[in-house]
Amino acid sequence: MKKRIAAITSEFHIHKRTLPHWQSGGNSYFITFRSAIGELHSDALLEVKKTILDGHDKKYELLFGVVMPDHVHLLLRPIEKESGVWYNLAEIMKAIKGVSARKINLLYERHGTVWQDEYFDRMIRNEKEAGEKIEYMWNNPSKKNLVDSFEEYAFILNLRKK
């Protein structure tokens, strides 16, 4: 039997697995999900980047993000699938993680889990908080000593800079 994913309206909704997922239509979210198989190589990171960019304007508006070797940070806003009903974060994450996992498994010639089951999400409350999350993502590659400056990092998810 297929599990039904609740539609998200402008009313507040809490979905709980291990972590609680608070949602309300029209809001933006900071999301983090982690690899279950350790650090991914750059070819796999590129597949994750492409998968996320391909989903932009289909189920969500991508505001900003970064694909790190062992985790991903996203700032996104689910879009309306019909008037007053938004895509659920669970639907969005299932699409991103499922498609990218298939691509990574093909690339690595393996089967099995690629991503940890859960993801962390935080509803963004205001522009100041959104700016703080973008700054955090912006600094993540250099903080992890992957590059000297963010502009050098190949796995940026910024639609304003192509």
Side-chain angles (χ1 to χ4, degrees):
M1 184 165 89
K2 267 193 155 179
K3 201 163 107 175
R4 186 176 179 277
I5 298 174
I8 299 301
T9 63
S10 58
E11 295 177 13
F12 190 68
H13 172 79
I14 299 175
H15 170 74
K16 182 155 170 87
R17 295 181 65 190
T18 304
L19 299 172
H21 302 284
W22 296 17
Q23 295 181 241
S24 179
N27 286 297
S28 299
Y29 300 87
F30 176 68
I31 299 169
T32 300
F33 60 101
R34 302 190 70 75
S35 167
I37 59 173
E39 289 196 0
L40 303 172
H41 300 135
S42 61
D43 50 355
L45 299 180
L46 184 58
E47 291 299 335
V48 177
K49 179 180 177 178
K50 287 179 189 174
T51 299
I52 294 166
L53 292 173
D54 285 348
H56 173 71
D57 280 343
K58 292 178 182 149
K59 292 185 179 189
Y60 53 87
E61 176 188 359
L62 178 65
L63 304 172
F64 198 78
V66 61
V67 180
M68 299 293 289
D70 64 349
H71 67 281
V72 178
H73 294 299
L74 301 172
L75 184 59
L76 59 78
R77 182 180 302 119
I79 61 174
E80 282 184 290
K81 53 179 156 182
E82 59 186 73
S83 182
V85 178
W86 285 260
Y87 280 99
N88 186 308
L89 286 182
E91 291 175 281
I92 292 168
M93 295 310 298
K94 182 178 180 181
I96 291 172
K97 290 166 70 175
V99 171
S100 63
R102 281 190 296 281
K103 290 178 178 180
I104 291 167
N105 278 335
L106 283 171
L107 194 62
Y108 288 172
E109 298 179 349
R110 66 178 297 277
H111 293 84
T113 302
V114 172
W115 301 111
Q116 290 181 2
D117 187 40
E118 275 284 17
Y119 56 91
F120 168 84
D121 60 86
R122 177 173 172 80
M123 191 181 306
I124 300 299
R125 291 174 173 82
N126 54 45
E127 289 297 318
K128 180 179 184 260
E129 185 177 5
E132 290 168 353
K133 298 303 183 195
I134 290 171
E135 184 176 345
Y136 176 82
M137 289 184 277
W138 183 271
N139 291 321
N140 209 214
S142 54
K143 183 177 145 188
K144 299 291 182 181
N145 296 316
L146 299 173
V147 291
D148 290 328
S149 70
F150 187 77
E151 292 83 5
E152 299 170 12
Y153 195 63
F155 309 106
I156 299 166
L157 300 165
N158 183 2
L159 296 170
R160 294 184 195 129
K161 181 182 176 185
K162 299 220 180 193

